[in-house]
Amino acid sequence: MPRAFLPLLTAATLAACSPTATQTATVPATPATAAPQSAAAPNWRDQAEQFLTQYSAEYQRLYTQSAEAEWRSNTRIVAGDTSNAGATARANERLAAFMGSTQNIQRLRELLEHKQDLTELQVKQLQTALYNAANSPQTIADVVKRRIKAETAQTEKLYGFDYKYAGKSVTTNDLDELLRKERNPLKRQQIWEASKAIGPTLKDGLLNLRELRNQTVQALGYPDYFTYQASDYGLSREEMMQLVRKINEELRPLYRELHTYARYELAKKYGVKQVPDYLPASWLPNRWGQDWSAMVDVQGLNIDPVLAKKGAEWQVQQAERFYQSLGFPALPQSFYEKSSLYPLPKDATYKKNNHASAWHLDLNQDVRSLMSVEGNTEWYETTHHELGHIYYYLTYTNPQVPVLLRQGANRAYHEAMGSLMGLAATQKPFLAGLSLVDANAKTDQTQTLLKEALNYAVFIPFASGVMSEWENSFYADKLPADQLNARWWQLCKQYQGIVPPTARGENYLDPATKTHINDDPAQYYDYALSYVILFQLHDHIAKKILKQDPHATNYYGSKEVGQFLADIMRPGSSKDWRTVLKEKTGEDLSARAMVEYFEPLMAYLKQQNKGRKYTM
């Protein structure tokens, strides 16, 4: 499941996580240095180096303070106590003021005017600093300050919300569990509606944030916030939308079969005689219909009972052992001392953000994860995913990669690494090697593939379709405030074939119930692209390195696989992401590997769907 990640707009959402986590760090505060005077022709390379040395040191210092404050705001939420929020806002404001200082912006532009005289690495750092500056230009300091304050307030509303079901307070973990297991359609609808109750609370804040986010980046010449985010890939807004629509098209035939299959199978499961043309959102085992894998239990591959016995701590330690088997080092001891890895005790006097994420707090060795690990398959996969981010941080934290370029080759790479390891850790030969399943147990390969498709393939229309199109409409097309929910459900029907169980008027705001809409905005396509990259990498590892069937691999203990991954991780963003992909896999970004991976499933689905009505 996707997670948030790295630092967001403010150094804040520094997570890396579920579809969740972002990455271009956020904002800057006072200039680093003025141009040295010289009678001779200026040595621009030396000037750039001097500026970058001072700028990077101050950036790292303020980034760390901001990240520490964000960490406290996410791990200790006390009703009525605004001290953490205040401290976070102040730390983010200092970082913003530095990154976006008028003097820094002028100096960055001046140095970039002489980029022909600079090294490639210097140019990349200067461009990154200028990109970051657009998130908080001090030419409009009051707007930036208001945006940071508004974001902090929105996060508090989001994670401090008291969800209620059947008259009791419940967590989002509880609601997810109920949606995976409940068979009564009416109860399912009530659970689903409970999960959406937070929407109206967030509406005013989100509309305010749209204005503030757009105004912020417009000060440096970007037309809107969505365009700004897409530019981090070296793509225009139109090019990004073209790319995500292409991915949707390539996977559409498979999704159409899965959609038809799910409608009939779920109608049977819930005892509904009339199969609906579109899937009621409350029928699916996930609050947004982004992952349907809980529909299928693969015989011989259900590891929940084993994991429940082994417990949460074992899962985290085992994920670390996996990375070590590939040749990665042990995690720093501080990871275990400073992370927040497990659910809070029932009697805790505060709450925490339950959304899994990985954090690079000082852009050096202080790496942490925020999770609520329990002994089950979903958290087993999530734990491997989050440590993928952590090892990515540690690998590009090396002397060859300047502080400003300590991030993924692009944002999707971070997610691809995490998801790749999540996939690897759930394949049968891998599980058998750990004695989590019996190697001789008969497992149905088709059911295994179906479960994977209901996770990976089902996710694409949500991520690159619904989320990307809605945020594109919201930020770039200035979607009117009285059409927010209508547009959301129009896209859900178009891309996912999903409809709400009852009328959802504009008194609701269902998109805002998705964490990322509030605190990781206008970049959910990262997750869709990450899945495409993940299958490209997995295809290469299975066929070219391990010489194994991509459906039944075991990466465990392969130093060659570890080397391949480390080579991708090590440069951070100092190399162009397209070059990295082409050099390592021999091909450009394409859903080919993903479509191919699920080809054996298509014949089965067509057989199952014979005589059934297709509605997509």
Side-chain angles (χ1 to χ4, degrees), residues 184-342:
N184 178 315
L186 190 60
K187 282 187 183 167
R188 292 191 64 83
Q189 185 178 320
Q190 290 164 352
I191 297 158
W192 182 85
E193 284 172 351
S195 80
K196 301 294 167 197
I198 190 175
T201 311
L202 299 167
K203 187 169 185 174
D204 289 346
L206 189 62
L207 286 166
N208 182 37
L209 279 172
R210 169 172 68 181
E211 295 316 305
L212 295 171
R213 284 167 178 161
N214 276 348
Q215 282 175 40
T216 301
V217 299
Q218 280 160 358
L220 254 74
Y222 296 93
D224 61 85
Y225 197 75
F226 193 93
T227 302
Y228 166 69
Q229 291 285 30
S231 75
D232 194 37
Y233 283 75
L235 300 174
S236 68
R237 172 170 79 99
E238 292 73 20
E239 286 167 337
M240 179 56 81
M241 294 312 296
Q242 222 174 327
L243 184 59
V244 293
R245 286 169 188 154
K246 173 178 162 272
I247 291 166
N248 260 308
E249 281 308 304
E250 288 173 332
L251 283 159
R252 185 82 171 182
L254 173 61
Y255 187 77
R256 187 170 173 261
E257 295 295 337
L258 291 167
H259 180 265
T260 307
Y261 175 83
R263 282 170 34 240
Y264 281 82
E265 293 302 312
L266 290 174
K268 206 186 303 175
K269 181 178 177 178
Y270 302 143
V272 176
K273 295 209 166 34
Q274 183 66 43
V275 177
D277 282 353
Y278 294 93
L279 280 163
S282 56
W283 277 23
L284 295 160
N286 172 276
R287 285 176 273 160
W288 303 280
Q290 69 179 54
D291 176 0
W292 310 349
S293 57
M295 279 175 61
V296 176
D297 272 329
V298 182
Q299 291 304 311
L301 271 189
N302 178 13
I303 55 174
D304 275 351
V306 190
L307 293 174
K309 280 200 194 96
K310 287 187 177 289
E313 288 86 354
W314 178 88
Q315 289 186 168
V316 180
Q317 289 157 6
Q318 180 49 46
E320 180 185 15
R321 283 192 288 272
F322 171 34
Y323 288 93
Q324 287 182 277
S325 83
L326 300 177
F328 289 97
L331 290 169
Q333 186 53 35
S334 60
F335 172 81
Y336 286 101
E337 290 163 358
K338 294 181 174 181
S339 290
S340 174
L341 299 171
Y342 310 107

Side-chain angles (χ1 to χ4, degrees), residues 366-531:
D366 187 352
V367 291
R368 303 178 202 176
S369 185
L370 171 55
M371 297 192 274
S372 292
V373 181
E374 298 184 75
N376 62 42
T377 309
E378 187 172 340
W379 277 109
Y380 166 84
E381 185 274 330
T382 298
T383 304
H384 284 78
H385 177 115
E386 294 310 324
L387 288 201
H389 291 299
I390 297 291
Y391 275 105
Y392 204 159
Y393 298 150
L394 292 171
T395 307
Y396 58 55
T397 298
N398 65 67
Q400 278 67 52
V401 180
V403 161
L404 280 166
L405 303 180
R406 288 181 184 174
Q407 50 193 30
N410 65 27
R411 293 191 305 255
Y413 269 72
H414 241 293
E415 285 309 311
M417 278 306 165
S419 300
L420 175 67
M421 304 317 259
L423 171 72
T426 51
Q427 293 211 318
K428 188 183 172 184
F430 184 101
L431 296 170
L434 290 180
S435 304
L436 292 176
V437 300
D438 178 354
N440 301 316
K442 286 275 178 273
T443 49
D444 188 327
Q445 190 57 49
T446 304
Q447 288 300 297
T448 304
L449 211 47
L450 176 60
K451 190 174 181 71
E452 288 176 344
L454 291 172
N455 174 359
Y456 296 103
V458 157
F459 179 69
I460 297 291
F462 176 71
S464 66
V466 180
M467 286 287 284
S468 299
E469 296 279 5
W470 191 86
E471 291 196 288
N472 180 40
S473 293
F474 186 65
Y475 288 102
D477 301 332
K478 315 293 183 292
L479 184 63
D482 62 356
Q483 290 171 35
L484 305 183
N485 226 35
R487 175 70 174 146
W488 177 260
W489 287 108
Q490 176 207 335
L491 290 166
C492 290
K493 188 173 182 182
Q494 177 188 339
Y495 281 97
Q496 294 178 287
I498 292 174
V499 291
T502 54
R504 304 289 290 178
E506 293 302 324
N507 50 322
Y508 298 105
L509 187 57
D510 297 321
T513 66
K514 185 71 181 159
T515 310
H516 305 70
I517 295 277
N518 301 281
D519 64 8
D520 218 358
Q523 54 196 353
Y524 205 78
Y525 47 76
D526 290 355
Y527 299 113
L529 299 178
S530 80
Y531 277 12

Side-chain angles (χ1 to χ4, degrees), residues 56-72:
S56 298
E58 183 64 359
Y59 168 71
Q60 189 170 12
R61 185 181 76 80
L62 292 166
Y63 177 99
T64 304
Q65 289 178 1
S66 168
E68 288 275 12
E70 285 290 346
W71 177 261
R72 285 190 295 276

Side-chain angles (χ1 to χ4, degrees), residues 97-165:
F98 171 70
M99 287 169 68
S101 89
T102 308
Q103 236 175 314
N104 273 343
I105 290 170
Q106 284 169 351
R107 187 66 174 134
L108 288 164
R109 284 175 160 162
E110 182 186 12
L111 290 167
L112 282 167
E113 276 168 18
H114 300 276
K115 63 180 176 188
Q116 70 282 359
D117 300 319
L118 309 178
T119 68
E120 201 179 322
L121 203 58
Q122 286 175 332
V123 171
K124 251 196 173 304
Q125 291 175 80
L126 294 167
Q127 286 172 336
T128 299
L130 195 59
Y131 175 85
N132 290 343
N135 222 344
S136 49
Q138 294 306 290
T139 45
I140 50 162
D142 60 319
V143 175
V144 173
K145 195 169 180 175
R146 278 188 286 134
R147 195 206 71 209
I148 290 170
K149 194 176 173 188
E151 281 167 348
T152 306
Q154 192 81 341
T155 300
E156 295 226 308
K157 276 186 202 161
L158 187 62
Y159 297 121
F161 189 75
D162 185 17
Y163 292 88
K164 293 272 205 269
Y165 171 64

